[in-house]
Amino acid sequence: MLAVPVPLIQLLQVLTVAAAAPGVSGCTAWVEARMQGRRGPRVLQPYFDLAKLFGKETLVPEGAGVFFRLAPVVSFACYLTVPLLIPVLTSYALPLGYLGDILGGGLILAAASFLVATAAAETGDSYAQLASSRAKTFAAITEPVMLLVVFTVAMITTTDLPYVLGATVRSGPEQIVRPAHLLASAALFLVILFETARIPVETHTGTTEFGMIETGRSFEHSGPDLALLHWGAAAKQMVLYTIFLNVFMAPWGMASTTELPAVVLAIGAIVVKALLLGVLIAGLDNSYAKLRLFKITEFVVAALLLAVLAVFTLYLGGG
């Protein structure tokens, strides 16, 4: 049987996330439109949008600093660094998988978000600065949630390496239904809703001031820079989906060998699982009305409380 070299599998993890991310976003948008009784965009529309933006000119606002041009490139590179550290295609750890843990991946994602927010603040545009301020204000609550989720994982598996947690979950169904694991997974799921602009107060597809948080930060970017920001947002969503699926809730369908059929099957499995999760989130997003802005703290604090409960449940013997 033809074996795929391990370095190539490592590269395929990055390429799978980068290539599939716009398609997952497009499929989710199409399903969401159907739920609302609209025709909606084509599933492949994000790819066409990226191609169009890469062919346009880049304009820089007067007075914008170096962060404005560097943020799209560096943040995109950060998003594609995380797939080197997490199980995307294989159940066994790849060589670069030992260079970082879940906490390291979270810090890389946070660094990318900080760069994008800083670039938005440099533009001088009131809407971009407003979105940047909102994003960082609420991130001050969600980032401790990630730390508590990692802490719970470390207590369960005695390590915070994502491959080890995935192996623990695959060891038996009782590992998934343990109270501490369910609470930590629920907290992570709420964080994913926030990070992918699916929170009840925000509209992820609009540019109105009412719901402008994630979408508002890229207001002043254009051309290839805007394309990288959109592509990076989709890649970030795909990375978070992969962590939730392949580490916490559904670590199956991954290749256990380096044989070509197993690797190809693993690529199809993660794409299908991400599509199903995207459809589920689209259904949740359409099941409630958008809330007022100050209600966002209640939503984010709920994730924090779930993470705290996970730690206490594990400490009290419910893990």
Side-chain angles (χ1 to χ4, degrees), residues 124-210:
D125 180 79
S126 57
Y127 290 116
Q129 291 179 332
L130 177 63
S132 174
S133 175
R134 288 176 174 177
K136 292 297 97 185
T137 298
F138 300 127
I141 306 177
T142 59
E143 289 174 2
V145 174
M146 290 294 295
L147 293 176
L148 285 173
V149 169
V150 172
F151 183 62
T152 306
V153 169
M155 293 178 66
I156 293 175
T157 63
T158 69
T159 179
D160 54 0
L161 288 175
Y163 287 95
V164 177
L165 177 60
T168 303
V169 174
R170 286 193 303 274
S171 64
E174 69 278 1
Q175 301 296 333
I176 297 180
V177 299
R178 64 170 68 189
H181 183 79
L182 290 177
L183 289 170
S185 299
L188 178 61
F189 184 73
L190 293 183
V191 171
I192 290 175
L193 295 181
F194 170 82
E195 293 291 344
T196 57
R198 295 284 179 172
I199 51 179
V201 73
E202 183 177 1
T203 169
H204 60 282
T205 56
T207 55
T208 60
E209 185 274 337
F210 173 74

Side-chain angles (χ1 to χ4, degrees), residues 136-317:
K136 292 297 97 185
T137 298
F138 300 127
I141 306 177
T142 59
E143 289 174 2
V145 174
M146 290 294 295
L147 293 176
L148 285 173
V149 169
V150 172
F151 183 62
T152 306
V153 169
M155 293 178 66
I156 293 175
T157 63
T158 69
T159 179
D160 54 0
L161 288 175
Y163 287 95
V164 177
L165 177 60
T168 303
V169 174
R170 286 193 303 274
S171 64
E174 69 278 1
Q175 301 296 333
I176 297 180
V177 299
R178 64 170 68 189
H181 183 79
L182 290 177
L183 289 170
S185 299
L188 178 61
F189 184 73
L190 293 183
V191 171
I192 290 175
L193 295 181
F194 170 82
E195 293 291 344
T196 57
R198 295 284 179 172
I199 51 179
V201 73
E202 183 177 1
T203 169
H204 60 282
T205 56
T207 55
T208 60
E209 185 274 337
F210 173 74
M212 198 177 346
I213 300 179
E214 290 295 324
T215 55
R217 296 189 299 176
S218 59
F219 233 41
E220 291 298 307
H221 288 85
S222 59
D225 289 349
L226 183 58
L228 287 176
L229 287 177
H230 286 176
W231 197 356
K236 176 185 177 181
Q237 174 181 266
M238 187 68 180
V239 166
L240 292 173
Y241 283 6
T242 302
I243 294 175
F244 183 76
L245 292 168
N246 282 358
V247 177
F248 281 84
M249 295 305 296
W252 297 285
M254 295 182 288
S256 59
T257 66
T258 59
E259 296 179 354
L260 180 60
V263 175
V264 173
L265 180 63
I267 294 175
I270 184 57
V271 172
V272 171
K273 289 191 294 185
L275 288 174
L276 292 176
L277 181 58
V279 170
L280 173 63
I281 291 178
L284 292 175
D285 195 26
N286 280 274
S287 63
Y288 46 70
K290 298 301 179 183
L291 305 178
R292 298 174 66 181
L293 182 64
F294 69 89
K295 291 287 186 179
I296 187 176
T297 54
E298 299 179 8
F299 176 84
V300 180
V301 168
L304 179 61
L305 290 178
L306 286 173
V308 172
L309 284 174
V311 175
F312 275 99
T313 301
L314 185 62
Y315 180 75
L316 296 175

